[in-house]
Amino acid sequence: MPILEQLEIGEIKELVAMEISKMKLDRIRFEMNHLGFNSHSYLVGIWGNEYWLLNGFDRFHCLKERRMIQKVNCFPIVLNEKGALYAHILKWLFFHRGKTTDIQKCIHSIIKWKGEDLAFELIQSITNIPQTLVETYLNPKDLPNELIGKNDERAKLRNKISDLYKIGLNPQVIEYLHLLELNEGNKKQGHITTHNNIGILRKVIREVHGFNDISIENQKRILTRYLNFREFILQDARRQVVSCTLYQRSKVNVKNLKIKK
């Protein structure tokens, strides 16, 4: 387990030049002004006898602006290859909605160092992100035709799936939902990119006690059912109407019998 150390800011190098929006930097600067400039710790990789930043690139950028800050709290980990550096950075980008161009840089760099098959294995082992999701950044061939060419549709899909990682859904189930979304012929299923469906999944995962303890297949079955919640509500309404109708008829029949007597 990494041990907390203080490192000189100048010792820490950045492998990827991140694209960070001005709005995000302004928000972080505001937080730092109120919470302190050294209130966070950073994960750094040791490779080639040098320290490499693996997370918190946006905060680190703001920290470097404050020249009076000389040292930062870090958790150094030893890595045995450059590809692992990119994989750790990729993990941070996925979970913090990094720019698509930065994510693509990391993926292509890992492939360059490892080859495609070994690259996906390395990414899976470090990030726990399924290959099907990673591939959406490389090649749109698996996407429905109507999504190809729409600049923001693939980004929306990736961002929503990233949300599922953040709320703790099992990676195998996320991969299943991802494939379900890409299945052009599955017209009856709800789309996980809708705001309402993400809200439903979040509530099930966070508020239904024991959900993560049931089998993967049962998790898939339950979530698939609730994704198409409109149809579920209609079916439930139909059942209740039938039940009420039968109950009313039974009361009428009983009343008629009493009258006949």
Side-chain angles (χ1 to χ4, degrees), residues 97 158-167 198 202:
R97 289 196 176 185
R158 291 192 293 258
N159 287 341
K160 294 303 181 183
I161 292 176
S162 296
D163 285 343
L164 297 180
Y165 279 96
K166 292 177 183 177
I167 59 179
I198 289 294
R202 184 181 289 110

Side-chain angles (χ1 to χ4, degrees), residues 26-37 39 66:
D26 287 343
R27 178 179 60 79
I28 293 172
R29 291 184 189 109
F30 178 80
E31 290 178 5
M32 285 183 162
N33 284 330
H34 288 80
L35 301 176
F37 294 98
S39 57
R66 301 285 171 165

Side-chain angles (χ1 to χ4, degrees), residues 158-180:
R158 291 192 293 258
N159 287 341
K160 294 303 181 183
I161 292 176
S162 296
D163 285 343
L164 297 180
Y165 279 96
K166 292 177 183 177
I167 59 179
L169 190 58
N170 185 286
Q172 292 181 50
V173 180
I174 294 174
E175 183 167 9
Y176 164 76
L177 294 175
H178 173 59
L179 292 173
L180 186 68

Side-chain angles (χ1 to χ4, degrees), residues 2 28 101 115 199 201 213 224 240:
I28 293 172
T101 51
L201 295 174
D213 297 328
T224 302
Q240 292 196 49

Side-chain angles (χ1 to χ4, degrees), residues 231-241:
E231 182 62 30
F232 173 76
I233 291 172
L234 284 173
Q235 289 178 1
D236 186 62
R238 291 188 188 103
R239 282 194 297 268
Q240 292 196 49
V241 168

